[in-house]
Amino acid sequence: MVAAPAGFSEMVAAFSKSGTLDPALAHVLARANFDTWAGKVKAARGCVKPVRMAGSSTVVDSSGKVVSELSGSVFVPCKNRRAAVCESCSAHYAHDTFHLIRAGMAGGKGVPETVTGHLRVLATLTAPSFGKVHSRPFRNGHVRRCSCGELHSQYDDVLGTPLDPETYDYVGSVLWQAHAGELWRRFTIAVGRKLARVLGLRPAELREVMRLSYAKVAEYQRRGLIHFHAVVRVDGPEGTGRTTPAGRSDRRPPDRRHRGRGGLRRRAHARVFGGRRGRADVG
């Protein structure tokens, strides 16, 4: 471990005396084993709630003689994705996600740059309305009054809460949350079936023409409901290296093409428990 630079301890002492350095931080910086501590922090990527893992390792040769032994503990990141739990791990995950999605859009990390020529769609799938909630509607660049008559601040805690708790469909909203993952799965199935129908193919034949790749992010709305942001990329049947064969796309029946496209661009429907149909805006 690299030692602290010359004069470092004196600088810490000076800042401590002037009151511009937090006493607890000054104590850590002035410790003789600061380099060891800093190395552990760096290994855990600054995680505020690292997980301590203890163990040992023994290396033996073919005769059974012990060559080396190691034992001790290490700190590993908690890898929590929520900033409220660990800002460092949350930011690290967000950066990884950004680069992965960017590679899927522009190439890189094993994905050929030719994907820039593939058809791509950015879709947002939202939950249906379970009742009116307090909001800050915008019109012509200006904030308008909520349905309750108030002009809410963006920091108002009442935003997203029901206007009428007595009539709000709490059961439906809970079921939406519980089945959000299954609704996404059914959405991907429905998209494949719709495309196959538009192309005049059976669903099982679609893989011979194209392959759909998805990257999605789940996000909580102000009203507390999950919605998805997704990038959908259309690849050739062999994956990212090929685009969809143009010859096969000529099989689209003219009378079904317009109706199929409109259905995909405007709405995607998913059946939820109890017969409720959740409408998801696409595009």
Side-chain angles (χ1 to χ4, degrees), residues 53-218:
M53 301 183 67
S56 61
S57 173
T58 303
V59 179
V60 298
D61 60 17
S62 58
S63 65
K65 181 181 178 180
V66 176
V67 178
S68 65
E69 287 184 293
L70 295 173
S71 63
S73 61
V74 295
F75 289 94
V76 297
C78 68
K79 298 183 180 181
N80 197 296
R81 301 178 183 182
R82 292 186 295 169
V85 177
C86 180
E87 291 188 11
S88 176
C89 289
S90 175
H92 187 83
Y93 172 77
H95 295 158
D96 282 350
T97 302
F98 169 80
H99 287 292
L100 287 174
I101 293 180
R102 183 183 184 280
M105 299 285 286
K109 297 186 179 295
V111 180
E113 295 183 0
T114 53
V115 295
T116 56
H118 294 202
L119 176 64
R120 294 159 295 175
V121 176
L122 176 61
T124 298
L125 293 90
T126 62
S129 173
F130 297 104
K132 289 187 176 181
V133 298
H134 292 276
S135 61
R136 299 180 72 242
F138 279 85
R139 185 180 302 169
N140 299 326
H142 298 283
V143 181
R144 302 295 180 178
R145 291 185 180 276
C146 175
S147 298
C148 69
E150 296 291 330
L151 190 63
H152 295 299
S153 162
Q154 61 178 324
Y155 304 108
D156 197 332
D157 292 336
V158 77
L159 289 175
T161 60
L163 283 170
D164 185 1
E166 297 296 326
T167 61
Y168 188 79
D169 186 3
Y170 287 100
V171 174
S173 63
V174 170
L175 289 174
W176 172 271
Q177 303 289 73
H179 295 279
E182 176 63 16
L183 288 173
W184 167 260
R185 188 184 73 86
R186 296 193 183 191
F187 167 75
T188 60
I189 294 173
V191 169
R193 289 175 176 173
K194 172 70 86 171
L195 286 173
R197 190 179 307 122
V198 169
L199 294 171
L201 302 171
R202 291 193 299 269
E205 297 175 326
L206 188 67
R207 290 294 296 267
E208 300 175 9
V209 178
M210 66 179 65
R211 181 180 298 179
L212 299 178
S213 299
Y214 301 90
K216 68 176 173 66
V217 176

Side-chain angles (χ1 to χ4, degrees), residues 236-249:
E238 298 175 2
T240 58
R242 298 284 297 276
T243 57
T244 304
R248 298 301 297 271
S249 63

Side-chain angles (χ1 to χ4, degrees), residues 8-69:
F8 181 75
S9 300
E10 290 77 5
M11 181 182 66
V12 171
F15 275 106
S16 300
K17 290 180 180 179
S18 65
T20 57
L21 190 64
D22 182 86
L25 180 59
H27 174 73
V28 171
L29 294 174
R31 285 164 51 180
N33 63 343
F34 169 76
D35 289 343
T36 303
W37 175 86
K40 292 181 179 179
V41 172
K42 185 177 181 180
R45 297 198 300 261
C47 175
V48 298
K49 294 185 176 181
V51 179
R52 184 176 181 272
M53 301 183 67
S56 61
S57 173
T58 303
V59 179
V60 298
D61 60 17
S62 58
S63 65
K65 181 181 178 180
V66 176
V67 178
S68 65
E69 287 184 293

